[in-house]
Amino acid sequence: MLGIILPVIDSIDYFLLTNPIAPVVMVTVALVALHYHPCEEKWNDARADTTIIVAVVNGIYISSWIMCQAGEDVLTPTPQEIRWPALNAIPVMFIRELIGTSIMVIVHLVVRALMLRLLSVILGRKVDRKGPKEIIVEFPYKYVSYLFVGVSALACIPIFPLLGI
C-alpha cells in the first residue's frame, strides 16, 4: 500500500489543502471507510478507536485547509532542526499545553453534549452515553465530537502569540 501512496502523497496533500471541495471529499471518504471497517454490524472498541483516529485526522486536515484558504502558508515545509528549549521557555510550554488541552476538552464536551441532544431529537428518544452501544448513536457522536477536537487542535495555535505565549 505504501508503494502505491508514496509517489502521489504530495499531490494528495496539495489537493487536500488547496481544493475548495477538499473538506467534503475528506469527510465523505472517511465516512465511507468507517462504514465498511471493521465490517461487524455491532459497535465495538475497534470501531470506536478507528472512528476517533480518523475523525481527529480529518479535523486536523480541515483546520489546515481553513488556514490555507485564509492565506497561511501551510504547504512550505518548516525547518526540521530540533533544538532543546531554553529553561525560561519551559513554563511557557506548560502554559500552552494547559491552555490547548483545556480548549480541546471543552470543545469535546460541548460538541458531545450537542450531538447527543441532536441525536435524541433525530431518533425521537432519549440518547445518552450510558445506554446500549448502537452504531446509529456512537458513530455520529464520536465522529463529530472528535472531528471538532482535531479542528480545535490546530485552530487554537494562532491564539498563543496573541496571548503573548
Side-chain angles (χ1 to χ4, degrees):
M1 186 74 160
L2 187 61
I4 297 169
I5 294 176
L6 200 55
V8 294
I9 198 75
D10 285 336
S11 300
I12 293 170
D13 218 23
Y14 184 80
F15 171 82
L16 292 177
L17 294 173
T18 60
N19 196 294
I21 64 163
V24 175
V25 171
M26 279 186 276
V27 170
T28 303
V29 168
L31 293 178
V32 169
L34 288 170
H35 176 72
Y36 290 107
H37 175 78
C39 58
E40 291 183 26
E41 289 300 316
K42 61 182 182 178
W43 189 257
N44 58 36
D45 291 339
R47 188 177 287 259
D49 293 344
T50 304
T51 300
I52 290 168
I53 292 166
V54 170
V56 169
V57 170
N58 265 178
I60 289 170
Y61 258 105
I62 289 171
S63 187
S64 296
W65 178 85
I66 291 168
M67 290 169 59
C68 190
Q69 301 305 308
E72 286 284 326
D73 185 15
V74 295
L75 295 170
T76 304
T78 56
Q80 299 301 316
E81 179 184 342
I82 299 174
R83 299 176 303 201
W84 288 100
L87 286 178
N88 61 348
I90 293 174
V92 174
M93 290 177 358
F94 281 115
I95 291 170
R96 288 178 88 154
E97 180 70 27
L98 181 66
I99 292 171
T101 302
S102 299
I103 290 171
M104 288 188 290
V105 167
I106 291 168
V107 165
H108 173 67
L109 293 174
V110 168
V111 173
R112 183 178 72 189
L114 290 174
M115 278 305 296
L116 289 173
R117 282 192 184 154
L118 179 65
L119 287 168
S120 292
V121 170
I122 291 171
L123 298 174
R125 60 184 166 90
K126 176 79 170 133
V127 173
D128 64 1
R129 294 184 325 118
K130 294 177 177 66
K133 304 291 186 202
E134 303 172 76
I135 290 177
I136 193 81
V137 173
E138 295 289 318
F139 181 71
Y141 111 76
K142 281 200 185 293
Y143 181 81
V144 173
S145 61
Y146 282 99
L147 178 81
F148 277 90
V149 167
V151 169
S152 69
L154 266 149
C156 71
I157 290 171
I159 69 164
F160 292 133
L162 299 175
L163 297 174
I165 54 173

